[in-house]
């Protein structure tokens, strides 16, 4: 019976990261913040509400601006979605709260990453074709030297 109990609870104090995260073009700090957000998220809603200060303290990042920069990178890579929240103070005033972070399905990020790679490939191909055409034109119409 003890063996079954241990098997059922062996993942209780762990969180699982998708393998695909290592294939995406993420900076080390963005990856670290993503790992932290997954660590603290509500497993049912995929949401959490840490402040930039809380994230910074947990990960030993000194600047709120640095945290904000890498949170934006995670948004740009379709890994998370953020939205502002409001809190109502005791005196009745509304004040901005922490961001609400929603962890998006990893498939969204992988699909976006592949779309960006394809777009870059097509742009590079178009650039190479233009360069080749310009070289052919220059061969047919040599310029006179000054």
């Amino acid at each position: 019976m003890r063996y079954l109990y241990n098997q059922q609870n062996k993942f209780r104090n762990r969180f699982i990261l998708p393998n695909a995260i290592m294939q995406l073009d993420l900076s080390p700090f963005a990856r670290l913040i993503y790992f932290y957000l997954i660590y603290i998220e509500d497993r049912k809603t995929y949401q959490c509400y840490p402040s930039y200060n809380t994230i910074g303290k947990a990960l030993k990042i000194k600047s709120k601006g640095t945290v904000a920069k890498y949170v934006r990178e995670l948004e740009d890579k379709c890994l998370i979605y953020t939205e502002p929240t409001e809190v109502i103070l005791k005196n009745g005033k509304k004040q901005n709260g922490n961001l609400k972070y929603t962890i998006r399905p990893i498939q969204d990020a992988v699909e976006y990453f592949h779309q960006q790679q394809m777009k870059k490939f097509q742009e590079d191909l178009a650039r190479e074709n233009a360069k080749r055409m310009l070289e052919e034109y220059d061969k047919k119409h040599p310029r006179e030297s000054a």
Side-chain angles (χ1 to χ4, degrees):
M1 186 69 167
R2 183 175 180 175
Y3 175 75
L4 287 175
Y5 178 79
N6 288 338
Q7 286 296 93
Q8 291 171 348
N9 293 313
K10 73 179 186 177
F11 295 113
R12 175 171 284 175
N13 294 322
R14 298 182 183 156
F15 64 99
I16 296 172
L17 295 170
N19 290 339
I21 194 69
M22 301 308 286
Q23 299 167 353
L24 303 177
D25 186 26
L26 284 176
S27 64
F29 275 134
R31 191 174 289 146
L32 187 61
I33 291 171
Y34 181 72
F35 294 166
Y36 178 71
L37 293 175
I38 286 187
Y39 171 69
I40 65 168
E41 77 175 345
D42 178 313
R43 302 291 189 267
K44 293 179 182 170
T45 64
Y46 307 106
Q47 295 176 340
C48 55
Y49 298 84
S51 67
Y52 289 156
N53 282 335
T54 301
I55 295 170
K57 285 179 186 176
L59 302 176
K60 310 274 191 279
I61 301 172
K62 294 180 182 178
S63 166
K64 287 189 333 185
T66 301
V67 173
K69 172 183 171 182
Y70 293 110
V71 165
R72 281 190 304 275
E73 181 180 340
L74 293 172
E75 286 181 297
D76 292 345
K77 303 283 183 163
C78 296
L79 286 163
I80 64 171
Y81 173 73
T82 62
E83 54 188 306
T85 62
E86 288 184 343
V87 293
I88 299 174
L89 303 176
K90 288 181 182 179
N91 62 10
K93 288 186 176 181
K94 287 184 181 180
Q95 183 176 323
N96 290 337
N98 296 337
L99 289 175
K100 177 169 81 171
Y101 299 84
T102 304
I103 310 298
R104 297 179 62 174
I106 192 69
Q107 295 85 1
D108 292 353
V110 170
E111 185 177 314
Y112 178 76
F113 177 70
H114 289 144
Q115 287 172 354
Q116 293 303 308
Q117 283 186 317
M118 183 59 75
K119 182 179 174 183
K120 183 181 181 310
F121 172 75
Q122 289 170 343
E123 289 170 355
D124 290 346
L125 184 61
R127 197 173 296 112
E128 286 296 318
N129 284 340
K131 183 180 175 183
R132 183 181 42 78
M133 290 172 63
L134 184 58
E135 287 171 355
E136 288 175 9
Y137 179 84
D138 284 344
K139 284 181 186 176
K140 290 179 183 176
H141 304 88
R143 298 178 193 173
E144 294 181 22
S145 50

